[in-house]
Amino acid sequence: MRENISLEKKVKRNNENMNPIQHVAIIMDGNGRWAQKNSLPRVEGHWAGVKVVDRIVTLGCKLNLEALTLYSFSDENWNRPSAEIGTLMKILDFYLKKELNRMKEENIQFNAIGHLEELPTSIQKLIKSSVEETRHNTGMILTLALSY
């Protein structure tokens, strides 16, 4: 948490001297390697990544970002073992269901980009409904890049 506070102070100081940061894009990479480095199953790293996403979204709202894009699942990820891909889809399903109310409450507009048609049908429907239910929100635009 200390890193977030430090980053927040740096961004605020930077914004006082320059044009405010409007859009931040982050490539979400290394969760599996982090888990392996810490003698945990790769899947634990992916679940830990959900907590990081939560903190990033909170900080983005706090800093009044116009947009936050999280590059979450590249085309290369389809080459992973099917069990790992299944877990990543379960995490995405869990995250979207869990965060929909938060996005509504915090005025976050949800968006998704990428080859969404390659995702499981249930995930496509969940993305579509999340986009629809937050389309009138006027706060930060949260975009997940999936199968890009």
Side-chain angles (χ1 to χ4, degrees), residues 3-12 59 62-63:
E3 288 178 356
N4 287 344
I5 293 170
S6 174
L7 177 62
E8 180 180 354
K9 286 181 182 177
K10 286 179 184 179
V11 170
K12 282 185 178 180
L59 183 58
K62 202 172 195 180
L63 295 172

Side-chain angles (χ1 to χ4, degrees), residues 43-148:
V43 66
E44 291 301 320
H46 298 311
W47 281 107
V50 172
K51 294 176 186 172
V52 173
V53 167
D54 182 58
R55 292 196 319 254
I56 291 168
V57 170
T58 298
L59 183 58
C61 289
K62 202 172 195 180
L63 295 172
N64 295 314
L65 288 180
E66 287 182 23
L68 173 63
T69 301
L70 302 176
Y71 288 84
S72 307
F73 188 86
S74 73
D75 279 337
E76 294 172 3
N77 291 144
W78 290 114
N79 296 323
R80 294 176 182 218
S82 60
E84 187 174 359
I85 293 170
T87 298
L88 290 168
M89 293 301 126
K90 285 179 188 171
I91 290 171
L92 181 56
D93 179 86
F94 170 82
Y95 180 80
L96 289 174
K97 287 176 180 173
K98 175 182 163 286
E99 293 299 314
L100 182 58
N101 282 335
R102 174 188 179 188
M103 289 188 281
K104 288 190 222 177
E105 290 169 7
E106 296 184 19
N107 200 29
I108 297 170
Q109 185 182 64
F110 178 75
N111 189 31
I113 58 174
H115 302 286
L116 304 180
E117 70 280 358
E118 295 177 6
L119 299 169
T121 305
S122 61
I123 297 292
Q124 291 179 45
K125 289 178 182 176
L126 195 51
I127 288 170
K128 186 177 180 179
S129 67
S130 297
V131 168
E132 180 62 28
E133 289 189 49
T134 63
R135 71 184 171 116
H136 294 296
N137 291 355
T138 58
M140 183 177 74
I141 299 168
L142 172 62
T143 301
L144 292 186
L146 302 162
S147 196
Y148 59 93

